[in-house]
Amino acid sequence: MKLLTGVSETLPAAYVTEERLAIREAARAIAMKEVLPIANKLDPVQGEIPMELRQRLGELGYFGILIPQEFGGLGLGVFEYVLVTEELARAWMSVASLIARGNGLGAGFSEEHRKRILPRMARGEYLGAFALSEPDAGSDVASIRCRAELDGDEWVIKGQKMWCTFADGADFIVLVARATPYDPANRHAGIAQFFIEKERGSFPAGISGTPMRKVGYHGWKTWELSFEDFRIPAGNILLPQRSGTDAHDGFKRAMRGLSIARVHTAARSIGLARGALEDSIVYAQQRVQFGHPIGDFQYLRFKIAQMATEIEAARALMYAVANDIDHDRLNDVQASMVKLFASEMSERVTSDGIQIHGGAGYTSEYPLERYWRDARLTKIFEGTSEIQMRIISDGHLPRPSKG
Ligand SMILES: Cc1cc2nc3c(=O)[nH]c(=O)nc-3n(C[C@H](O)[C@H](O)[C@H](O)COP(=O)(O)OP(=O)(O)OC[C@H]3O[C@@H](n4cnc5c(N)ncnc54)[C@H](O)[C@@H]3O)c2cc1C
């Protein structure tokens, strides 16, 4: 059935180029023809993203959208990154997330790492996991306790990490840990990123992992990790170190990376909401009750109108923020706004999609419940909605003296 509406067929005039339209069209075709059928088959049985699909995404260059061409990537911007992400998330959010494991994790690499690793990342042959969260440090990132201590020419790592998605399937882990002892008076000091190479499909001696049971996001596993005197070479600290009080500026770098990740999360949220809208438009024309397609009932028509409007609003903000990042006008507050707005919108819209499908929406025969389960997560990871509101309010009001 042809969709009457639901997707803006062109990009806003300020951003439209032939190349961008072509990128979006190609990603849309891949998502709908190659990703969606796999998602519909595997997600209900908690199956993981197949290796063949990962290879296909690699051939398309999707792991290297942000990687410079000199290192084998497409050398495009955050704008193109969110265009592709929205399309992939419309089919399966896990896949839209997987491409971040090439695009999002190389920021702190040394020149040697960049030459050796980025080309493989761009092809999707060498992908990473990110270990920041801990059992007692989620929103409060500056309270992490995982410790890296220098012993001769090696770092010795001890501590626990939570929620490390893809830790098993990854070829490396970017670990955020403390290179100096925890100082309550200067909690951000000493936080650094470390590079851990590993065999895909297992954990090296000194790291053990337990998979976590989740509501959704079934395309890959999420792990609790334990580091017990795990050793890596001294050179595997990722970010340039400075002398003096700002040695190890990992905290600031990690926060900048989170801003791009937040726009990427907005794109994931919008893709999910679009899935719910498009499927609802089809269903509303097929399902007949009281002698009419349910799409004839004004309440349902207005619900569709509301869903479409909310998606457009989120997308407009996402384009603006992505464009600003590409023009070196990164604004943390705006990145938080788009993440907050899009993820809250996505949960509402996907839930409305379930409602429009009635009982069918509450079964795994239709993907609506997957859209909703995954949309629910977008309000939690990459900084919860409350943390985004905290950042936004701090941008508008003087910080309170306590709290
Ligand atoms: C499926 C999944 C995958 C993930 N993948 C990864 C990953 O790959 N790598 C990684 O490092 N992490 C990952 N995370 C972790 C994720 O980033 C954290 O769950 C998130 O940051 C929230 O931390 P928390 O769960 O400890 O919640 P908490 O920080 O304990 O928050 C609990 C509640 O308190 C609220 N709250 C906390 N502080 C404040 C405050 N100051 N003001 C107002 N409200 C507040 C929160 O908003 C929330 O509602 C993942 C999480 C999930 C669920």
Side-chain angles (χ1 to χ4, degrees), residues 101 129-141 161-167 174 176 212 214-217 220 222-223 258 377 379-388 390 403:
R101 301 323 178 99
F130 186 59
L132 169 63
S133 306
E134 297 184 0
D136 295 321
S139 302
D140 184 10
V141 174
K161 289 287 170 185
M162 285 279 276
W163 304 112
C164 186
T165 302
F166 196 48
V174 172
V176 184
M212 304 179 76
K214 299 174 290 192
V215 169
Y217 211 31
W220 45 4
T222 297
W223 295 79
L258 281 179
L377 175 58
K379 292 171 53 166
I380 296 171
F381 67 4
E382 307 295 358
T384 63
S385 289
E386 293 75 22
I387 292 304
Q388 308 312 322
R390 203 178 156 183

